[in-house]
Amino acid sequence: MLRLDLTHAKLNKDLATYQKQVTTLHEALMNKTCKGNDYVGWVEWPNQYDRDELVKILEESKKVRENADVLLVCGIGGSYLGARAVIEMVNGLYSKSKPEVIFIGNTFSSTYIAQVLKYIEGKSVYCNVISKSGTTTETALAFRLIKQFIEKTYGKAEAKNRIYATTDAHKGTLKNIAEKEGYVTFNIPDDIGGRFSVITAVGLFPIAVAGIDIEALLLGTKKAYEDFSSSDLKQNIAYQYAVARRILQDAGKDVEMLVSYELQMVMFAEWWKQLFGESEGKNGLGILPTSANFSTDLHSLGQFVQDGKKVLFETVLVVDKPTLDIEFPSDEENLDQMNYLASKKLSWVNEMARLGTLEAHEVTGNVANIMIHLQDMSAETFGYLAYFFFRACAMTVLLLDVNPFDQPGVEIYKKNMFKLLGK
Ligand code: PA5
């Protein structure tokens, strides 16, 4: 389902030199004695997720699929990125799947919010508001506007059939609103943080509304759980990747660029950046996660990768089987002089671009490349890949002796903003 290739990674140390540390940290993660051990609920989730909640998600998502033109998903950070990453990766960017899923609650941009509110006029609108804390300002601000729109358009009684809340099971402002208004609610487990929550109702409900098989996604996480259950670096590719990052940073590579050759993986990279950025960027430490989409960005960032300061390494997601393919046509006149590609598949052209780029960056540019081959862009592969990155992220950050599961740094802008807003 996934293949890690470190043959282009220019590692100057043997992975095995980390085996002892990896074994100790693996045991600490599995026994829940590692740093941040209050937030390791995601580890056993593939075996222990709530089956009744899954049935409820499937039933409710079916109702929304039958009745909605638009599902507004209102959330930010971990309560937003995962669902969007999966929906774009699996369905593509111009899917005809109904309802349309629109993300809001992830910005203060007046233009964006006003445009969405205009766009949904006259459509059958449902909303899934998602917030673990229940108090996130971007989300609360957008939700008040949506709630008023839905109540005004359909009446208060019907509004409760159209609004779903995903939040803490017991407490919080959103929980209180949901109880008072009678919304159907889904639970966010206490011990799973936002950036690990795409495999809970946070991701699963909107993903199911988008017509994607969430049972297949969970099956992918289960397969990954089994494949990454060993602490042995010879067998566990998630830990191999975790250690390779540490070796590269020790060699002066402070930036990791996640690269894909599929435009529908752009949001996946955004999700990955949150996972690694919020987990690792603490105490003056960490690798800066960044991303690019090739060949698009070979016409922009490619210059820096090839010739700029040697601060980065690339981690390339290679999709072995594209979802769709096209044969390039021949043209009698050949005015564009493109006949040399006649009868070739576009996926082959993309692959040749990847191989040419690998040589340019690795050999000519001396840039280390980690390759992660995915079998396809299905829901099951996403589940597997997400769990691979969860395990790798936890290990690579624990190797720095840092808690991977908190994010104290994100509070400071909020404090300053609230002062300015007069809260
Ligand atoms: O990873 C995280 O914890 C954050 O990105 C949160 O998911 C984000 O701030 C949203 O928080 P909440 O779900 O409480 O609204």
Side-chain angles (χ1 to χ4, degrees), residues 11-26 231-233 239-240 242-251 395-396 398-400:
L11 301 180
N12 61 8
K13 241 197 228 165
D14 194 343
L15 295 181
T17 52
Y18 282 78
Q19 183 61 69
K20 217 168 138 212
Q21 270 173 284
V22 165
T23 303
T24 308
L25 293 171
H26 171 79
S231 65
D232 185 350
L233 270 169
Y239 292 168
Q240 287 175 17
V243 170
R245 295 177 84 253
R246 292 278 67 92
I247 294 174
L248 286 165
Q249 189 172 33
D250 284 349
M395 179 55 70
T396 206
L398 289 170
L399 281 167
L400 285 178

Side-chain angles (χ1 to χ4, degrees), residues 257-272:
M257 181 178 274
L258 190 79
V259 171
S260 151
Y261 285 74
E262 299 289 345
L263 276 171
Q264 64 202 63
M265 297 288 285
V266 166
M267 283 308 301
F268 181 90
E270 295 302 309
W271 172 84
W272 172 89

Side-chain angles (χ1 to χ4, degrees), residues 360-381:
H361 290 182
E362 182 200 356
V363 182
T364 318
N366 197 23
V367 175
N369 267 250
I370 294 174
M371 300 290 171
I372 300 174
H373 285 259
L374 330 183
Q375 70 177 23
D376 55 26
M377 291 187 280
S378 65
E380 190 178 333
T381 298

Side-chain angles (χ1 to χ4, degrees), residues 11 113 120 125 147 163 220 227 285 319 351:
L11 301 180
I113 296 169
I120 60 176
V125 176
K147 183 172 182 285
I163 297 175
D227 289 353
L285 298 169
V319 178
E351 179 63 359

Side-chain angles (χ1 to χ4, degrees), residues 8 54 229 272 304 360 369:
H8 309 276
L54 182 70
S229 60
W272 172 89
F304 191 104
N369 267 250

Side-chain angles (χ1 to χ4, degrees), residues 76-79 130-136 139 188 193-195 274 278 407 414:
I76 194 166
S79 293
I130 309 173
S131 177
K132 188 171 184 190
S133 62
T135 54
T136 302
T139 304
I188 309 181
R195 54 193 177 275
Q274 188 208 4
E278 270 193 344
Q407 53 285 327
K414 292 182 194 168

